[in-house]
Structure formats: C-alpha cells, structure tokens
C-alpha cells in the first residue's frame, strides 16, 4: 500500500494519469491566457499604466517602439504571465493530486503551507521591486549625465528591464523556502547559517548595491534590509526543520526500543 492508503497503480496507469493531469493543466493554461488577452485588450491604456514608474524621467515624452509588432509582443508577454497566474490553482491542484497519494500525512501538512509561503514571498518581492526598487533605480539612472544625453527609451527595453528586476527580486525572496528545503535534506544546519551570517551580510550589501546603483543610502537600505530579514527568517525556518527531524528521530528510536 502507498503512504496515502490507496491501492498501488501499475506503471502504465501512472503514465495514463500523468497524461490526463498534463492535458488538464495545458487546457487551464490556454483558457487562462485567453482570458488574460481579453482583459488586457479591454483595459484601455494598459501600456501607459506600465510606463508609470519611468514617466517622471521622460520629461513629458512617451516611450517609443522600433518594431511594428513590439506592442503586441509586450501584450503577449503580459498575457502569458497573467494567464499562468490564472491557471496556477488548477495546475497546482493537478500536481498535488498526482503526488499526494505517495506522501505521508505529516508531509502533506508541511507542503501546503510551504507552497502558500512561497507564493506570498514571491509576490512580496515583485511588489517591492515594482513600487520601490524600480523607481529608485530609474531615478539614479536618469541622473547620470542627464544634461549631456537625451533619453530615447524603447518600451521593449524598459519592459524587459523592469520584468527582469521584478523576477530577480521575487526569486531572491524565495531564500527561506530554499533554506527550508536544504535543511530538510540535511544539507544546511542553523549552526552553518549562524556561522556564515557575517558573510551573508556582506553579500547582501553587495547585491543590493549592484541592483540599486548609485550612492543613495535609502535605495540601498530599501533592498538590503528586507534581504537581511529574509536571511534571519531562513535561520528560524532551518531551526524548526532540524528540531522537527530530531524529535521524529527520537520518537522513532523510543518506539523501536520499547517494541
């Protein structure tokens, strides 16, 4: 019997189930992208809305595009991203339904909160990047040689830069989840994290200075402080995982001794 207390399936039955899970996931993604296209084409001036962080530095002008298909490509990229978000509940449910029969009950209780925390942390990183880090970075870039150079930014370059920054910070905010997984595998311990704290602080400051160039301490602190707090959160998560593993090992040893 599997950990989920369901009858074991043959290899071909697993393949058939996986095929249908993939089909439903792809169908949900297609519907999600189609719905996103409908919403984006119904919303007026969606491209103007995306330009808000950079508009103060264009001196009354707009972003330009150099290829006739650039506006459509940008809308397509947005539709794919938004459609993936719309379809993610169905996709995650299909993945969960396929994997959950092979999981023990205590593993199921851990995975769901971890997935929710990962989504919230990624969203927090993207929000911090879009509303705080991106405007600060654009302000620093616009101040460099502003009297000698005339900006003529294309929407494609700006959009690519903004999305790269948002995705990078969203991925960086997944640090506690990565440490949690490494701790569960026994590859990272709280002792190691505490010993490397000073190195982590230096690395965080260097990373924050690289992402937010210039000598503005506010920009540096706006990124460095959240990243350091995430590191401390990772230490706490690692301690919880190690304590849980040690407690389960002690209970198992006690059960074997009494048995």
């Amino acid at each position: 019997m599997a950990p989920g207390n369901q009858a074991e399936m043959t290899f071909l039955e697993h393949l058939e189930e996986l095929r249908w899970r993939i089909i439903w996931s792809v169908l949900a993604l297609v519907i999600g992208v189609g719905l996103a296209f409908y919403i984006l084409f119904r919303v007026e001036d969606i491209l103007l809305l995306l330009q808000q962080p950079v508009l103060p530095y264009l001196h009354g002008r707009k972003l330009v595009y150099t290829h006739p298909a650039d506006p459509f490509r940008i809308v397509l990229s947005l539709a794919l991203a938004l459609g993936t978000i719309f379809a993610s509940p169905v996709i995650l449910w299909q993945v969960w339904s396929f994997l959950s029969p092979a999981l023990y009950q205590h593993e199921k209780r851990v995975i769901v909160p971890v997935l929710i925390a990962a989504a919230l942390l990624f969203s927090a990183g993207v929000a911090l990047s879009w509303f705080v880090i991106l405007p600060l970075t654009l302000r620093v870039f616009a101040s460099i040689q502003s009297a000698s150079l005339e900006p003529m930014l294309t929407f494609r370059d700006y959009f690519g830069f903004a999305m790269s920054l948002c995705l990078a910070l969203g991925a960086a905010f997944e640090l506690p989840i990565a440490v949690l997984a490494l701790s569960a595998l026994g590859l990272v311990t709280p002792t190691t994290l505490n010993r490397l704290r000073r190195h982590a602080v230096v690395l965080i400051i260097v990373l924050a200075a690289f992402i937010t160039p210039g000598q503005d301490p506010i920009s540096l602190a706006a990124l460095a402080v959240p990243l350091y707090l995430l590191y401390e959160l990772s230490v706490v998560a690692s301690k919880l995982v190690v304590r849980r593993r040690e407690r389960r090992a002690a209970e198992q040893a006690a059960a074997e001794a009494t048995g």
Side-chain angles (χ1 to χ4, degrees):
M1 298 292 289
N5 294 327
Q6 295 185 3
E8 292 187 358
M9 300 172 62
T10 65
F11 179 72
L12 292 179
E13 288 174 336
H14 277 296
L15 286 181
E16 179 66 15
E17 181 186 5
L18 178 61
R19 185 174 72 91
W20 280 106
R21 299 291 182 192
I22 294 175
I23 290 175
W24 285 115
S25 298
V26 172
L27 181 61
L29 183 61
V30 171
I31 295 175
V33 172
L35 180 61
F37 259 120
Y38 176 78
I39 294 175
L40 292 174
F41 278 114
R42 289 297 298 268
V43 175
E44 296 182 359
D45 294 331
I46 184 65
L47 298 184
L48 183 61
L49 181 64
L50 294 175
Q51 298 180 51
Q52 293 304 313
V54 76
L55 283 181
Y57 312 108
L58 296 179
H59 309 294
R61 293 182 294 273
K62 297 180 181 180
L63 294 174
V64 301
Y65 62 94
T66 58
H67 191 281
D70 277 349
F72 175 77
R73 290 173 179 171
I74 294 168
V75 173
L76 176 61
S77 300
L78 287 173
L80 290 174
L82 192 59
T84 302
I85 295 175
F86 289 160
S88 59
V90 176
I91 296 174
L92 290 175
W93 173 254
Q94 296 299 326
V95 173
W96 173 257
S97 299
F98 182 74
L99 296 178
S100 60
L103 300 176
Y104 292 98
Q105 193 62 35
H106 68 273
E107 294 173 330
K108 294 180 181 180
R109 288 196 299 266
V110 171
I111 288 179
V112 174
V114 166
L115 290 177
I116 295 175
L120 292 177
L121 285 172
F122 184 83
S123 301
V126 171
L128 177 65
S129 178
W130 182 262
F131 293 107
V132 179
I133 304 302
L134 179 61
L136 291 175
T137 304
L138 291 173
R139 185 180 68 184
V140 172
F141 285 157
S143 65
I144 299 176
Q145 297 293 329
S146 59
S148 304
L149 300 175
E150 180 72 16
M152 190 177 67
L153 303 177
T154 66
F155 196 100
R156 186 176 184 180
D157 291 338
Y158 160 74
F159 181 77
F161 172 74
M163 290 301 101
S164 298
L165 189 61
C166 290
L167 292 176
L169 200 56
F173 267 53
E174 297 296 321
L175 175 63
I177 304 302
V179 171
L180 190 69
L182 293 175
S183 299
L185 295 174
L187 301 177
V188 171
T189 63
T191 303
T192 303
L193 295 174
N194 287 325
R195 188 174 65 251
L196 296 176
R197 178 177 279 105
R198 287 179 297 178
H199 301 82
V201 170
V202 174
L203 182 61
I204 287 172
I205 294 176
V206 172
L207 178 63
F210 178 78
I211 296 178
T212 56
Q215 300 178 351
D216 184 5
I218 298 178
S219 304
L220 183 66
L223 182 57
V225 172
L227 289 177
Y228 176 75
L229 293 178
L230 286 173
Y231 185 84
E232 294 297 333
L233 181 61
S234 302
V235 176
V236 174
S238 180
K239 289 180 180 179
L240 293 176
V241 171
V242 171
R243 289 176 183 175
R244 178 185 291 270
R245 186 171 64 244
E246 292 176 348
R247 185 169 60 250
R248 186 176 296 115
E251 292 174 353
Q252 184 178 358
E256 292 177 354
T258 56

